[in-house]
Amino acid sequence: MKSRYLLPLAIFILFVNACAVNAYAQGGIGNKPRQDIVMLSQVARDSLSDVVFQNIMDLKRFAESGNIDSAAALIAYNGHVAKGQPVPTDRYARAMNAQNPEERAEVQNILARIQKLFQDYPDTHREYYAVFKTKDTPSGQKHLYQIHHVNGKRQRMVSWTFYPVGDKLLLGDFS
């Protein structure tokens, strides 16, 4: 009587294993590689990640001390602060100019937002870093760093976007 159930049980187990292997063969979200991600070696990605995180911590320090001139050198000009029509090629192609009153006011606004973020959520945990291809910037790249900000039970995930300008990575936006 036991041998009568042994063969169907073995067939069932083989069927379940075959289904499981088929499910994993698809590669999770599909078999097409993403075209919008810049593929980097792990060493290069980790080094860039450290540079971007250090820029974020520098901006935090500049916000706490009110150092607008130093912060302006780490923030990319986004073209929105000019009263006239911005030139599209200027967007994310240079750092903010602390001598221009409109751009200086924008830097102060960004520093105030950064200071409020770190006051409200002082504990940070690095979550995700990637370099994406984009046609919106002269460099053709944007660096996205997602950081989990925590204050007790309150949490907030913030995406920090940096753009390469020359040999520097400048803050584009964070939200």
Side-chain angles (χ1 to χ4, degrees), residues 83-105:
K83 288 183 180 176
Q85 291 294 328
V87 180
T89 57
D90 284 351
R91 187 176 178 141
Y92 303 121
R94 65 175 176 85
M96 288 282 209
N97 181 4
Q99 305 306 316
N100 183 334
E102 295 165 346
E103 292 180 28
R104 187 176 184 85

Side-chain angles (χ1 to χ4, degrees), residues 86-155:
V87 180
T89 57
D90 284 351
R91 187 176 178 141
Y92 303 121
R94 65 175 176 85
M96 288 282 209
N97 181 4
Q99 305 306 316
N100 183 334
E102 295 165 346
E103 292 180 28
R104 187 176 184 85
E106 181 68 18
V107 171
Q108 287 176 327
N109 181 27
I110 291 170
L111 289 179
R113 288 176 47 209
I114 290 172
Q115 186 172 10
K116 181 167 176 22
L117 173 70
F118 279 100
Q119 284 176 348
D120 292 347
Y121 303 94
D123 193 16
T124 60
H125 302 281
R126 301 178 190 193
E127 291 292 329
Y128 174 76
Y129 176 78
V131 180
F132 291 94
K133 296 176 187 175
T134 180
K135 295 179 182 176
D136 298 338
T137 63
S139 65
Q141 291 183 357
K142 72 176 180 179
H143 297 241
L144 177 72
Y145 207 145
Q146 290 184 326
I147 297 179
H148 195 208
H149 293 267
V150 180
N151 185 3
K153 292 186 178 184
R154 294 179 24 203
Q155 304 177 31

